Amino acid sequence: MSSRTAYTASTPSDADFRTAGSSSAQAEPLRGSSPFPGEEYQALSLHRGVFEKTKEWYDNNTGLLLIVGAQGFFSSMDLAVKKLHGIDPPVTTLQLIFVRMSITYICSIVYMLATRIPDPWFGPKGLRMLLASRAFFGFFGLFGLYYSLQYLSLSDATVLTFLTPMCTAVSGALFLKERFVPKHALAGLISLCGVILIARPEFIFGEASKSPGGAERGTPAERLGAVGISLIGVLGATGAYTTIRAIGTRSHPLHSMAYFSASCVVVSSIAMFVTETPFIVPTKVDWLVMLLMIGFFGFFGQILLTMGLQRETVGRGSMAVYTQVIFANILEQMFFHTIPSILSVIGTLMIVVAALYVALTKPKDSTLEKRLDEDELEEGLLEGENDDTRS
């Protein structure tokens, strides 16, 4: 019997052998005819088993990995934003949003037209209200982050954004009828504690949070105001994540990005005109390079994030956002020359362990889970529509 099991595991597909005889006498000639006898055959079977396990894990966590990749792009984009805020004269938050989203909108429309994606300008019918809601919430999420980077360090601004996964887990359970998994909530809480240890925000740790080469600026009142605006951004990001999940795979990711970027361009333009905010024209090459970095890094990061959230529940998928603090911490040490502390190392390990736990504890029957998720999502949306009709 063991020889038959080994042979089946080593073949590209075992479907042709499931109907074979069940006796070991029938299986033995098959093994004898293998060109990999003895130890070589067993090693090949082991390698095939590892490969299949790895592929199964990858298939189960594709959305999670896409979101992690997005955090690398977003951290690089935030670094460029932080640098531009320090240039004299500093580039304003509204101008950064205008530049980044102009590039994103152009890239999105050009790609959809080139690949002939249906409804490139307005998106699929029946989803346009959700797409518009995603754009509305997304603007406030982006503004909150960019504004806070004027006065907070990169790690401080990042740690505040990690309130979003907690909020999106609750939002997904309330509005989309997604399952709220206690073990994932526990992993999120552990990750949040790790984030706090890494960032050591001044409003929690006081003067002990200061480190050599820190990038804070402004008065305590300005920092407190930045924290408040950042919390508004958290609510905006929560709404954006929830609507992306509600849209699901019923529209192309670039439809969502086109709506989001167009909304940001229009709102930021109007806001700059009303507030008479000057438009800073780049006079140095490094200015232009960082502006382009913000645009293109934000574009690719948004693509990966949207694709990832379309494949994961908002509760589980948003947990992967915690990995951004690792990228942010590395980049801040490289460009602002901060020195990592023991608390930072401990916090990083907590985040990595919690993220791996979330990834490795996903049910193996991903197809069934996906079908259940879609059913619950559809049920939640229908209940919402019925409530609106009754009202």
Side-chain angles (χ1 to χ4, degrees), residues 310-350:
Q310 286 179 333
R311 290 162 173 78
E312 286 288 356
T313 63
V314 290
R316 183 174 184 267
S318 60
M319 294 301 173
V321 176
Y322 282 124
T323 58
Q324 184 180 355
V325 76
I326 299 177
F327 295 109
N329 201 44
I330 293 173
L331 291 174
E332 192 166 43
Q333 291 170 21
M334 290 174 58
F335 291 92
F336 294 106
H337 308 294
T338 58
I339 301 174
S341 66
I342 297 297
L343 291 178
S344 294
V345 175
I346 295 174
T348 300
L349 291 176
M350 291 174 66

Side-chain angles (χ1 to χ4, degrees), residues 88-103:
D88 189 23
V91 181
T92 63
T93 300
L94 291 173
Q95 180 177 342
L96 290 175
I97 293 176
F98 176 83
V99 172
R100 176 198 163 181
M101 288 307 171
S102 295
I103 295 175

